Amino acid sequence: MYRDLTISVVIPCYNEEEGIQHVIRSLPPSVDEVVVVDNNSTDRTAEVSAALGAKIVFEKRKGYGAAYKAGLPAATKDITVTMDGDGTYPSEQIEEVIDYLIDNDLDFISAARFPMQNPKAMTGTNKMGNWILTVAMLLLYGKNIKDSQSGMWIYRTKVLPFLNLTSDGMPLSEEIKIEAIRSKDIRFSEYHVKYHPRIGEVKLEKWRDGFKNLVFLVKKRFQ
């Protein structure tokens, strides 16, 4: 519990046996619940996470979005925090971001990685792809945010029913922000955070996933 609010952390994982140990152990003591979504892992991700006290949700449908759509409803505390299982997002800033959410009477915060403090934490092509997709969101939706692809979100759990999440893949990272921004019931903002080099094998297929994200932005805008 932190500032009289309980905290759930939701982490989607596919073969993150090495990284998930670091992530769970680095969480602040104020975190009340850890939900790890095992998305058809072939390693010991689930066993390692359970041994460290996490609640395990199994999702057979492969995909980042499918994992989150299974995991987010399993969070039972006042605040939901999301992060990847590879150690890239800063667990050390969870309480800092929650302070910002409470002090500014917000409902949903997207953690913005840019400008990046550690240039080595992301490749140049990934930075370019993020920039293109963020500009596309601005042009299509008129929303000027710094990081449309961030996978760390901090929100009041009660707003989840207002978010109509449809993507089973990587586009969910941009879709959840679009839904939060467009909802009249949700007060949205961004907060700058650190971004660390990943632990373990890179699984993102940057060109394919980037193109799918761009197509999704266009389709959702004109639905």
Side-chain angles (χ1 to χ4, degrees):
M1 180 175 286
Y2 183 69
R3 293 184 62 174
D4 295 325
L5 294 171
T6 52
I7 305 169
S8 296
V9 176
V10 180
I11 311 168
C13 288
Y14 173 67
N15 289 347
E16 297 289 2
E17 178 182 341
E18 183 182 0
I20 194 61
Q21 300 180 55
H22 167 80
V23 174
I24 294 176
R25 288 186 174 125
S26 68
L27 294 172
S30 55
V31 170
D32 301 280
E33 175 182 63
V34 180
V35 178
V36 170
V37 186
D38 187 338
N39 196 205
N40 269 328
S41 295
T42 56
D43 66 0
R44 297 180 62 253
T45 293
E47 294 94 319
V48 168
S49 301
L52 292 171
K55 177 198 298 186
I56 310 300
V57 174
F58 292 97
E59 177 50 67
K60 292 183 178 180
R61 294 175 303 149
K62 285 189 176 181
Y64 180 82
Y68 263 129
K69 288 195 288 184
L72 295 180
T76 63
K77 305 307 178 184
D78 300 317
I79 300 290
T80 297
V81 178
T82 70
M83 53 179 49
D84 292 347
D86 58 10
T88 50
Y89 289 100
S91 55
E92 69 272 17
Q93 287 186 266
I94 287 175
E95 293 178 353
E96 179 184 333
V97 182
I98 292 175
D99 281 336
Y100 187 78
L101 181 138
I102 295 170
D103 293 342
N104 291 277
D105 197 23
L106 298 168
D107 299 306
F108 191 110
I109 291 177
S110 180
R113 299 165 291 178
F114 304 106
M116 195 164 287
Q117 293 183 355
N118 181 358
K120 295 181 180 179
M122 185 182 292
T123 66
T125 52
N126 281 2
K127 291 174 187 175
M128 178 60 70
N130 274 273
W131 179 81
I132 291 170
L133 291 168
T134 298
V135 170
M137 185 181 287
L138 169 62
L139 296 175
L140 289 166
Y141 296 91
K143 299 298 180 182
N144 187 19
I145 67 174
K146 294 183 177 69
D147 187 0
S148 68
Q149 304 303 305
S150 170
M152 183 179 184
W153 323 306
I154 299 89
Y155 63 87
R156 298 182 191 272
T157 306
K158 65 183 181 182
V159 308
L160 182 61
F162 297 107
L163 304 171
N164 180 28
L165 304 177
T166 63
S167 174
D168 285 339
M170 291 303 297
L172 186 125
S173 64
E174 57 198 15
E175 182 178 31
I176 196 168
K177 300 175 188 67
I178 293 167
E179 287 291 309
I181 289 168
R182 295 168 85 179
S183 174
K184 60 181 177 58
D185 300 299
I186 298 175
R187 292 158 294 190
F188 173 93
S189 185
E190 286 185 293
Y191 187 89
H192 185 253
V193 298
K194 301 172 185 175
Y195 191 66
H196 306 305
R198 92 170 331 274
I199 299 169
E201 179 188 356
V202 176
K203 303 176 185 69
L204 181 70
E205 296 185 36
K206 61 183 70 175
W207 298 112
R208 185 199 67 177
D209 290 332
F211 181 72
K212 285 184 176 180
N213 281 19
L214 185 59
V215 170
F216 182 87
L217 281 174
V218 175
K219 283 185 175 180
K220 187 172 180 71
R221 173 64 180 83
F222 296 105
Q223 279 178 345

